[in-house]
Amino acid sequence: MTASEREKMAAGEWYCCLDPELNALRAKAREAVHWHNTMPPDERGGMALALRALFANVAPDVFIEAPFHCSYGMNITLGPRVYLNAGCTILDSAPVAIGNGSMLGPGVHVYCAEHHKDPALRRTGLEIARPVTIGNDVWIGGGAIILGGVTIGNGAIVGAGSVVTRDVAAGATMMGSPARLHDSMLRGANVR
């Protein structure tokens, strides 16, 4: 029996993102995101119920500012006290887990999918997705981009505007494009 494109995506294999089942799942996510982004803040609370129902798992005290965007939602897990500032985007073609007390600044983007390098295959919608794990008490500055396959350790800091292409150790401060260990961390100085 041949695996569906959704099953291939979930298994971390190459899949076609133009598949009708995946299109329907993205449409469902767009509807939930629309409700979240257009509800009056006092009615929405920490996050719209439609968005909460879409996610794989979400703690009751999560707060997601509007606007927000995700591809599927079904692959997102958010721990207690997670805060996503305005303009965050999570393209969750693979699991995205954000740990307890982590904060994402405005405009942080998480990209799990990678399109094929061959233009002919890219035109057919072929892509592969890698998970992203963000530990507990992580702070990611505004405008940072986290690429698929990255794990960010507990207590780490990612500077605003950084592009994270590789794992970040627990407690480390990474900055730049691509993100590198911050010089003050190399010298053992305190970073404010």
Side-chain angles (χ1 to χ4, degrees):
M1 184 175 171
T2 304
S4 71
E5 298 306 308
R6 181 178 180 176
E7 290 168 334
K8 291 178 196 174
M9 182 177 80
E13 300 170 0
W14 289 98
Y15 64 95
C16 177
C17 66
L18 305 176
D19 175 70
E21 181 184 15
L22 295 179
N23 285 337
L25 290 168
R26 287 191 302 271
K28 181 179 176 184
R30 282 192 298 274
E31 186 172 324
V33 164
H34 173 76
W35 280 109
H36 177 82
N37 291 337
T38 59
M39 287 182 80
D42 58 336
E43 291 178 31
R44 181 179 61 236
M47 66 187 293
L49 290 177
L51 192 59
R52 183 177 293 279
L54 189 68
F55 285 11
N57 194 9
V58 59
D61 58 351
V62 164
F63 200 99
I64 301 176
E65 299 282 4
F68 169 79
H69 179 77
C70 64
S71 295
Y72 296 96
M74 65 186 190
N75 292 316
I76 299 173
T77 299
L78 304 176
R81 301 176 323 283
V82 166
Y83 176 77
L84 307 183
N85 210 325
C88 285
T89 295
I90 301 177
L91 302 184
D92 63 309
S93 303
V96 174
I98 302 177
N100 306 352
S102 288
M103 300 184 297
L104 278 61
V108 169
H109 289 198
V110 176
Y111 304 146
C112 292
E114 178 184 323
H115 300 285
H116 204 283
K117 290 177 179 41
D118 180 324
L121 293 174
R122 195 166 49 242
R123 277 192 297 275
T124 68
L126 199 60
E127 63 184 35
I128 194 166
R130 293 179 175 84
V132 170
T133 302
I134 298 171
N136 299 330
D137 301 311
V138 172
W139 173 23
I140 300 177
I145 297 172
I146 314 300
L147 298 183
V150 167
T151 295
I152 300 176
N154 295 338
I157 297 171
V158 174
S162 297
V163 178
V164 182
T165 61
R166 59 188 171 147
D167 290 353
V168 177
T173 297
M174 301 286 277
M175 299 175 147
S177 179
R180 294 179 181 88
L181 192 61
H182 189 267
D183 287 344
S184 63
M185 292 301 291
L186 295 172
R187 294 188 307 268
N190 289 330
V191 177
R192 297 204 191 280

